[in-house]
Amino acid sequence: MAWRSALAKTSSISELRFIMCPSSAGSQGLRSIVKSTYSELKISNPGLPMLVRESVGAKAKITARYTGGKEISVHVESFDSAAIESSLQRIAQGFENEGPGYSI
């Protein structure tokens, strides 16, 4: 998808964090996305820090830090890969806090 290659260029994201449990079923979707897209994202956005953190019992979430220090977290526990991909696209577009699962 085009948004992947332009993540750091077209948005004001200064850091992207993926937090998940290494073994829980609720984190499976996020583990799958990280495994399948991390290399592409990093190659396409070499200047964008992307941190992957695994902790036993952690609930799956993606946190984006934007220029100016604003952070938005998207809770993706039990989301499938398509829903997580959609959440990442919305993060890349710099959406504001909207609906359940999104917090500032």
Side-chain angles (χ1 to χ4, degrees), residues 18-59:
F18 302 94
I19 294 95
M20 67 194 94
C21 177
S23 58
S24 75
S27 290
Q28 179 57 42
L30 186 54
R31 285 194 310 269
S32 176
I33 285 289
V34 168
K35 185 176 181 179
S36 66
T37 65
Y38 182 85
S39 293
E40 177 189 348
L41 288 172
K42 197 60 185 168
I43 289 168
S44 299
N45 303 281
L48 178 64
M50 287 185 267
L51 310 170
V52 178
R53 298 293 182 253
E54 292 183 316
S55 178
V56 175
K59 301 291 184 191

Side-chain angles (χ1 to χ4, degrees), residues 3-100:
W3 66 269
R4 289 183 189 176
S5 62
L7 190 61
K9 298 175 191 113
T10 61
S11 70
S12 58
I13 294 175
S14 60
E15 181 182 280
L16 197 55
R17 293 188 300 259
F18 302 94
I19 294 95
M20 67 194 94
C21 177
S23 58
S24 75
S27 290
Q28 179 57 42
L30 186 54
R31 285 194 310 269
S32 176
I33 285 289
V34 168
K35 185 176 181 179
S36 66
T37 65
Y38 182 85
S39 293
E40 177 189 348
L41 288 172
K42 197 60 185 168
I43 289 168
S44 299
N45 303 281
L48 178 64
M50 287 185 267
L51 310 170
V52 178
R53 298 293 182 253
E54 292 183 316
S55 178
V56 175
K59 301 291 184 191
K61 75 176 178 177
I62 303 165
T63 300
R65 178 179 295 159
Y66 293 87
T67 306
K70 179 179 176 181
E71 288 189 2
I72 293 181
S73 292
V74 181
H75 301 274
V76 294
E77 183 75 10
S78 300
F79 281 24
D80 64 13
S81 295
I84 293 171
E85 183 95 15
S86 175
S87 294
L88 281 167
Q89 184 172 5
R90 295 171 83 187
I91 286 171
Q93 294 169 350
F95 66 87
E96 293 298 319
N97 186 29
E98 54 180 271

